[in-house]
Amino acid sequence: MSAKIISGTETAKAIREELKVQVAELTEKHKLIPGLVTILVGEDPASQSYVSAKNKTAHALGIHSEQVTLPAETSEEELLALVDKYNKADNIHGILVQLPLPKHINEAKVLYTIDPNKDVDGFHPVNVGKMMLGEQCFLPCTPHGCLELLQRAGVETSGAEVVVVGRSNIVGKPVANLMLQKRAGGNSTVTLCHTRTKDMSMHTKRADILVVAAGVANMITADMVKEGVVVIDVGVNRIGMSESGKAILAGDVDFNSVKEKASAITPVPGGVGPMTITMLMKNTVQAAKQLAGLA
Ligand code: L34
């Protein structure tokens, strides 16, 4: 058996079409243009590529977007002042500070400074807390993208054994939390594995749905999964450079072997990555509606 490929590229395209219609309606009927600012500190090539993709996508949907790029030496005070400026800017509804930040800047402090009503990443403690409680809030983009992929691929999550590998605040912890919520797209039995897990295979082999966000290229091999598993591969690892100077990407899952056992699997690239960007657009439109009192 060879797995069905769950295309993030195609799913993202469909959602973007829906968003485009919403943005056009807000713009024409309500004279409201959703606005997003992305802030990038430093010159990490991967971050540069993600941030430019976010701005390009915003532009394509009719969302106003501003891209601020600051040198790596930028002080914490300068960054906090910039965030504060955008907290107060009426034409900006979503603020995204791309992570990771340079070591001399306190990441938590920056994220806590973003107005929770403009926190389209869903990283502010107010939104994290609301998510945990199952209240309406901005959901973090990558976990939300994983759930949308499962839902739109028609995967039943209720009662499913879900195993998440990786416990980051950006992906592992929130994905595990969302999958166990008492609502459609959740209701799973969740196991969260990490670097101190004693017998990783014992857990991954039991999974009906396996979500991998460990940041280790090809770590999940065919012998670690059961026949028919649905695999969401969140990893985007740069494992080399092509002759033309483009990064060669690999997921956390050994795609070629695992796809022979899985019933469905996301590829890298073209899986979760495009969904992350699309969920950011969705949150930005939502933020604009809420701040304008239209939601
Ligand atoms: N604040 N920081 C903040 N918010 C986020 O949601 C992110 N993340 C992660 C890193 N830092 C962040 C992203 O945007 C990871 N991430 C992200 C976004 C997009 C893609 C991958 C990671 C993506 O589009 N990946 C493409 C390949 C792009 C390439 O060629 O490098 C893919 O098809 O997987």
Side-chain angles (χ1 to χ4, degrees):
M1 185 176 69
S2 198
K4 170 189 156 182
I5 309 298
I6 302 176
S7 169
T9 309
E10 290 305 314
T11 311
K13 217 182 254 172
I15 299 172
R16 286 173 196 180
E17 287 310 316
E18 299 166 14
L19 288 173
K20 216 173 180 172
V21 174
Q22 288 183 39
V23 173
E25 193 182 303
L26 286 174
T27 304
E28 283 155 28
K29 266 202 203 148
H30 301 281
K31 306 288 170 235
L32 174 65
I33 303 171
L36 171 71
V37 63
T38 62
I39 303 172
L40 172 63
V41 185
E43 283 164 10
D44 177 62
S47 295
Q48 282 174 337
S49 115
Y50 302 154
V51 166
S52 85
K54 289 172 184 183
N55 284 279
K56 222 173 98 188
T57 306
H59 187 75
L61 299 185
I63 294 172
H64 165 77
S65 81
E66 297 180 20
Q67 185 170 355
V68 181
T69 311
L70 301 170
E73 312 79 60
T74 303
S75 72
E76 188 177 286
E77 292 68 34
E78 286 173 281
L79 182 55
L80 293 175
L82 188 70
V83 168
D84 198 48
K85 177 184 127 184
Y86 284 109
N87 278 341
K88 294 176 179 138
D90 287 337
N91 66 333
I92 295 296
H93 309 97
I95 301 173
L96 177 135
V97 178
Q98 188 71 18
L99 303 179
L101 287 168
K103 296 222 176 348
H104 67 276
I105 297 177
N106 182 337
E107 218 161 78
K109 203 165 169 185
V110 175
L111 297 178
Y112 289 21
T113 303
I114 297 172
D115 180 346
N117 296 310
K118 295 190 177 186
D119 173 35
V120 285
D121 254 332
F123 291 164
H124 190 285
V126 164
N127 285 312
V128 177
K130 285 185 175 177
M131 177 193 69
M132 177 92 185
L133 296 169
E135 285 178 28
Q136 211 263 318
C137 63
F138 293 116
L139 297 179
C141 302
T142 302
H144 194 189
C146 294
L147 265 73
E148 281 281 344
L149 279 177
L150 289 170
Q151 201 180 4
R152 292 191 185 229
V155 177
E156 180 59 81
T157 58
S158 182
E161 293 290 336
V162 171
V163 176
V164 178
V165 181
R167 57 175 154 183
S168 70
N169 288 333
I170 297 193
V171 189
K173 279 192 226 169
V175 122
N177 192 267
L178 289 170
M179 296 300 302
L180 59 76
Q181 298 281 343
K182 195 169 184 173
R183 63 172 177 85
N187 289 317
S188 304
T189 303
V190 180
T191 303
L192 183 46
C193 298
H194 47 76
T195 43
R196 300 295 175 92
T197 297
K198 275 188 188 146
D199 186 350
M200 184 78 75
S201 266
M202 188 261 283
H203 295 288
T204 57
K205 272 184 194 155
R206 292 177 34 253
D208 300 318
I209 300 171
L210 181 62
V211 181
V212 192
V216 180
N218 301 318
M219 73 169 279
I220 301 294
T221 46
D223 57 301
M224 296 172 75
V225 302
K226 79 172 175 193
E227 199 76 43
V229 63
V230 174
V231 180
I232 305 291
D233 187 354
V234 185
V236 185
N237 305 288
R238 291 172 147 63
I239 55 167
M241 197 76 103
S242 74
E243 276 175 33
S244 60
K246 268 192 77 178
I248 300 168
L249 304 180
D252 290 351
V253 176
D254 180 31
F255 183 81
N256 288 325
S257 73
V258 172
K259 80 173 194 307
E260 299 304 324
K261 255 175 126 176
S263 62
I265 186 168
T266 62
V268 177
V272 175
M275 292 297 290
T276 295
I277 294 173
T278 300
M279 292 303 111
L280 175 67
M281 302 303 133
K282 191 170 177 170
N283 282 348
T284 302
V285 173
Q286 181 66 20
K289 283 187 191 168
Q290 285 172 10
L291 287 163
L294 296 170

